[in-house]
Amino acid sequence: MSDFWIYFNLGLKHVLDIFAYDHVLFLLALTVPYEFKSWKRILILVSLFTLGHTLALFLSVFNIITIKSEIVEFLIPITILIAALYNIIISGKSSKQSTITFIGILTVFFGVIHGLGFSNYFNTILSGKPTDKLLPLFEFALGIEVAQIIVVLAALLLAYVVQTLLKFSKRDWILIISAFIVGVVIPMILQSEIWVK
């Protein structure tokens, strides 16, 4: 049971680490168009992101896929930027009109990219054969899922307070948060090691 808590906590901290806020920014971009009443859709999207993240770690553990860390570190803020720009484009439109299929596929893909960003570290902390890493991998994934739900609930609560008590329109809220995210990730993209080469 103690091993479970080690990897579960690692998953929690991976998302909730204040210095690794890229994960939180992506979740914020994913969540901002929705309200509490869309909780099923949000839970599906969050779980799809975890699925993609776990799939990337699985492929890395079995040496099926490897990618240079500077490329992944460049792609991660790109995924966040795309999600935020998508929100800006669709702001004001009903989320019921948009299909979850497109967003779902994109979310899995983005989860894979984010998972690849953690794969090198994950492989260094676990020794042994790839099959020995499967249980810790799923324990870690469970920690990620719980942490993501915490972030999403906090984001939905903040949106509720701002839109209800401060009388922000949903469209304005989406635009403000998405523009903030764009403003944070553009410097991350410009400061990427990929430009040094």
Side-chain angles (χ1 to χ4, degrees), residues 51 60 72 110 113 121 195:
L51 177 69
S60 173
V72 176
F110 289 175
I113 291 172
Y121 176 73
W195 304 115

Side-chain angles (χ1 to χ4, degrees), residues 169-181:
S169 71
K170 182 178 177 183
R171 180 181 176 275
D172 288 348
W173 177 246
I174 293 169
L175 290 174
I176 289 167
I177 295 300
S178 299
F180 167 77
I181 293 169

Side-chain angles (χ1 to χ4, degrees), residues 124-196:
T124 59
I125 62 170
L126 291 175
S127 58
K129 301 180 299 226
T131 51
D132 296 337
K133 300 177 183 179
L134 287 179
L135 185 58
L137 173 61
F138 291 111
E139 293 164 348
F140 175 75
L142 186 59
I144 285 179
E145 184 75 359
V146 170
Q148 290 183 152
I149 290 170
I150 291 168
V151 171
V152 166
L153 285 174
L156 289 173
L157 185 61
L158 180 62
Y160 176 79
V161 168
V162 169
Q163 291 176 52
T164 306
L165 300 180
L166 302 179
K167 304 297 183 194
F168 273 66
S169 71
K170 182 178 177 183
R171 180 181 176 275
D172 288 348
W173 177 246
I174 293 169
L175 290 174
I176 289 167
I177 295 300
S178 299
F180 167 77
I181 293 169
V182 168
V184 172
V185 296
I186 286 179
M188 292 169 68
I189 294 167
L190 295 177
Q191 292 165 8
S192 171
E193 290 180 21
I194 206 163
W195 304 115
V196 178

